[in-house]
Amino acid sequence: MASFHVIAGASDTLEHIHVRKISVSDLIDAFKRGVDDFMVKPSHIVFLCLIYPLAGVVLAAWTSGNNALPLLFPLVSGFALIGPFAAIGLYEISRRRELGLDTSWSHAFEVKNSPALPSIAAVGIMLFTIFIAWLLAAKLLYQQVFGLAPPASLSSFLHEVFTTERGWTLIVLGHAVGFVFAAVVLCTTVVAFPLLLDRDVGAYEAIHTSVRAVLTNPIPMFVWGLIVAVLLIIGSLPVFAGLAVVLPILGHATWHVYRKVVEPLP
């Protein structure tokens, strides 16, 4: 049985990972490979089973009272903050396909047998903490702009947000704050989970490698973050149904971005 370790890898020493410089063309190739993985092993049915319960939670919060209305958009958009953790099974499928192993969907759950599971859980907890912090920040921002009184109704809430000066202030500031949270997640986890699945290097080195990947490739990583954001918006528009295709493709593509960025072991 593997020893319990989180910060460092199984050897209890911090391993230095070599990060390569990539171009936007490498991202395009990684995205194409992600689409190919999805076409070979479609996962839209699985993700439909995940997306609609999530949508149900959001709608339940929406209908539970007007107090929840200001958190509707932060809840939906905040899913992107935990997306890198939610897609971990997709990384495993892409990893297995790369090695020529069986890619049946049952193998996506073999992540639970990974020696890096404690480190994976630690980085996942970090993402959930960031997600909660985003919701609290969004709530605080709304209260600073609109006050503590809840919206009278959905229609009045939408009218206030989209047709008043303070509503547009909320939109602009909300997107600015959201960008900061998204940038933190991108910088700390862009390759963290695929790296932990591939090599048990510990949570610290996985996060550190992600930060170095962004610092080494600022423009490609900005483009990758933009691609992810745009596709998540497009996928969310038809009642979240598009996410059943968008999320798996992005998950598979992230594995290939990792392969482009991180130098493999000899």
Side-chain angles (χ1 to χ4, degrees):
M1 181 175 170
S3 60
F4 184 88
H5 50 274
V6 176
I7 303 302
S11 63
D12 290 328
T13 58
L14 295 176
E15 179 181 347
H16 184 73
I17 310 298
H18 181 64
V19 171
R20 292 184 289 207
K21 220 171 161 48
I22 64 170
S23 65
V24 174
S25 61
D26 289 314
L27 296 180
I28 295 173
D29 182 62
F31 186 80
K32 289 179 179 178
R33 290 172 183 265
V35 172
D36 186 53
D37 284 352
F38 175 73
M39 297 302 292
V40 169
K41 184 59 69 172
S43 47
H44 56 285
I45 300 299
V46 175
F47 268 79
L48 279 173
C49 296
L50 296 176
I51 290 167
Y52 281 103
L54 172 67
V57 171
V58 173
L59 290 175
W62 182 4
T63 57
S64 64
N66 293 335
N67 285 327
L69 285 176
L71 290 179
L72 181 61
F73 175 76
L75 276 169
V76 175
S77 60
F79 180 73
L81 299 178
I82 57 175
F85 179 71
I88 196 163
L90 297 166
Y91 311 147
E92 176 65 12
I93 294 299
S94 288
R95 185 187 73 85
R96 295 183 64 86
R97 184 173 182 236
E98 183 181 90
L99 294 173
L101 302 174
D102 180 33
T103 55
S104 299
W105 263 104
S106 59
H107 292 296
F109 299 99
E110 289 189 5
V111 173
K112 69 181 187 299
N113 299 321
S114 170
L117 184 60
S119 299
I120 291 171
V123 182
I125 290 171
M126 181 192 76
L127 287 187
F128 276 98
T129 302
I130 293 173
F131 173 67
I132 297 300
W134 155 242
L135 292 181
L136 293 175
K139 181 179 180 180
L140 180 62
L141 177 60
Y142 176 84
Q143 291 175 346
Q144 289 295 317
V145 176
F146 281 94
L148 298 177
S153 65
L154 174 61
S155 59
S156 66
F157 171 69
L158 295 177
H159 179 270
E160 284 284 338
V161 169
F162 290 108
T163 65
T164 66
E165 182 179 347
R166 61 178 183 171
W168 281 102
T169 298
L170 178 68
I171 290 173
V172 172
L173 293 180
H175 278 79
V177 173
F179 174 81
V180 173
F181 279 94
V184 170
V185 169
L186 177 70
C187 291
T188 55
T189 65
V190 65
V191 297
F193 290 108
L195 175 58
L196 287 171
L197 276 180
D198 190 39
R199 295 151 67 174
D200 183 12
V201 298
Y204 173 83
E205 188 57 38
I207 294 172
H208 185 226
T209 301
S210 290
V211 173
R212 289 193 294 114
V214 174
L215 293 177
T216 304
N217 303 282
I219 294 177
M221 288 305 170
F222 175 79
V223 172
W224 178 243
L226 190 61
I227 290 172
V228 171
V230 170
L231 288 179
L232 287 176
I233 291 171
I234 294 173
S236 299
L237 293 179
V239 200
F240 305 106
L243 293 178
V245 173
V246 169
L247 288 177
I249 289 176
L250 288 176
H252 291 305
T254 297
W255 172 263
H256 296 290
V257 169
Y258 158 70
R259 282 299 193 208
K260 298 283 187 183
V261 173
V262 174
E263 188 77 36
L265 287 171

